Amino acid sequence: MVALPIARSVAELRAGVAAWRQAGASIALVPTMGALHEGHLALVRRGLELADRVVASVFVNPTQFAPQEDFDRYPRDEAGDAGKLASVGCGLLYAPTVGEMYPEGFCTAITLGGPAEGLCGAFRPQMFGGVALVVTKLLLQAQPDFAIFGEKDYQQLQVIRRLTRDLDIPVRVVGVPTVREADGLAMSSRNKYLTAEERADASELYRTLSETAAALAEGAPAGAILERAMAKLAAARFSKIDYLELRDAETLLPLQRVSRPARLLVAAWLGAVRLIDNLPVEPVLG
Ligand code: AMP
């Protein structure tokens, strides 16, 4: 297999993209933080259904980590990532340095509201500002026709949809359903942090989420259903539940019951590992 070309600078990225454009190709961008798994590769595959070429970025973005979070020990495996990307037909890997993305004197920030409020925005206040910054930069650097994101990070997806609309960034934001392990656990680069025991316990998150989504779809008041689900997670050794909430599927405003397309979102801890997941909840007709 031919080695995947790697762009390290904005200039190299732009040269690669310009060559594709000159040949008349449409382009999809898949932003990631690396340590790639099947979930990320599903985004690349979706990109290739929509566009002629896919560029994937691998950048562990310091501005979205709080000081006590795992920036330094976040898993990194560029050679492995490049091999996986090439195997699914990705045409270019963009792996800039921190200095390239945030050169000396960098001082610009993006302020968010709406879908960034509450949920992970309440527990990781730094995160979405950093995500918005890096995604805006990547979109302006690569200027793709499509940008592909996972529903695994559903709040992030809605933040980016809103951001690109609000800032008139000419790109189609596309969401891809969550890719799961056989027992339902959403694939995540951070699943590597789970001990064998925690990994076994982790499957309860998806099970509880699925049951709860089915119960909520009937339209009953969410309060009691969510209380029961949280008690179940606590009994299944989740040490802390940051949130389990029902929200409007688009705006992410809180919902008391399912009367229109909704999303059930959860963040819960197993030991030192924080897992997030979410499912759609459509009202049952009739
Ligand atoms: P990350 O590298 O974890 O920041 O994720 C990069 C992109 O991959 C984001 O758009 C994620 O939502 C997406 N992603 C991560 N895990 C999954 C998964 N299990 N299924 C689908 N997309 C995913």
Side-chain angles (χ1 to χ4, degrees):
M1 197 189 309
V2 183
L4 183 66
I6 303 182
R8 302 266 174 213
S9 64
V10 179
E12 285 171 11
L13 170 70
R14 289 209 165 123
V17 166
W20 285 345
R21 289 279 182 214
Q22 223 139 36
S26 56
I27 294 161
L29 171 70
V30 175
T32 83
M33 296 206 298
L36 302 182
H37 50 65
E38 275 301 315
H40 299 113
L41 301 186
L43 308 190
V44 175
R45 291 193 184 98
R46 183 76 185 111
L48 283 168
E49 287 170 5
L50 295 166
D52 300 311
R53 303 282 183 195
V54 168
V55 50
S57 61
V58 170
F59 180 65
V60 185
N61 174 37
T63 62
Q64 72 191 70
F65 288 78
Q68 79 284 4
E69 290 182 347
D70 56 346
F71 175 75
D72 287 325
R73 63 184 189 105
Y74 194 85
R76 290 166 170 86
D77 174 18
E78 187 181 283
D81 290 345
K84 288 175 193 165
L85 290 169
S87 76
V88 292
C90 177
L92 180 64
L93 166 57
Y94 177 44
T97 59
V98 171
E100 179 75 6
M101 291 299 271
Y102 300 110
E104 182 79 29
F106 190 97
C107 59
T108 298
I110 296 178
T111 306
L112 301 162
E117 285 168 4
L119 305 171
C120 284
F123 289 88
R124 301 182 67 194
Q126 187 142 352
M127 186 175 64
F128 289 125
V131 167
L133 196 55
V134 79
V135 169
T136 301
K137 285 174 66 73
L138 291 168
L139 291 174
L140 295 176
Q141 290 170 354
Q143 300 187 24
D145 303 286
F146 303 90
I148 322 284
F149 296 89
E151 290 185 353
K152 156 84 187 355
D153 300 278
Y154 191 80
Q155 188 176 15
Q156 168 176 285
L157 174 62
Q158 295 314 107
V159 166
I160 291 164
R161 285 191 200 283
R162 188 72 244 177
L163 169 85
T164 53
R165 222 178 303 152
D166 288 353
L167 299 185
D168 304 306
I169 302 177
V171 67
R172 259 189 62 199
V173 174
V174 176
V176 172
T178 303
V179 177
R180 299 178 179 281
E181 304 285 358
D183 66 349
L185 177 66
M187 289 190 184
S188 163
S189 308
R190 289 189 170 106
N191 290 350
K192 293 186 172 105
Y193 299 154
L194 294 166
T195 64
E197 204 173 51
E198 288 164 352
R199 174 63 191 84
D201 291 339
S203 61
E204 188 57 35
L205 192 62
Y206 177 66
R207 202 170 313 129
T208 302
L209 206 59
S210 304
E211 287 169 12
T212 309
L216 288 166
E218 305 287 337
I225 297 172
L226 296 176
E227 288 290 325
R228 266 202 306 280
M230 287 203 268
K232 208 162 168 210
L233 288 177
R237 290 201 283 232
F238 281 84
S239 44
K240 190 153 77 85
I241 299 155
D242 280 353
Y243 60 78
L244 174 66
E245 289 192 41
L246 182 69
R247 296 278 178 127
D248 179 277
E250 190 192 340
T251 62
L252 294 184
L253 286 168
L255 283 185
Q256 304 311 317
R257 60 176 72 228
V258 174
S259 50
R260 55 180 184 271
R263 205 89 191 176
L264 177 64
L265 303 103
V266 68
W269 293 79
L270 271 176
V273 186
R274 184 175 184 270
L275 300 176
I276 60 168
D277 203 345
N278 67 85
L279 281 177
V281 194
E282 295 284 337
V284 175
L285 297 175

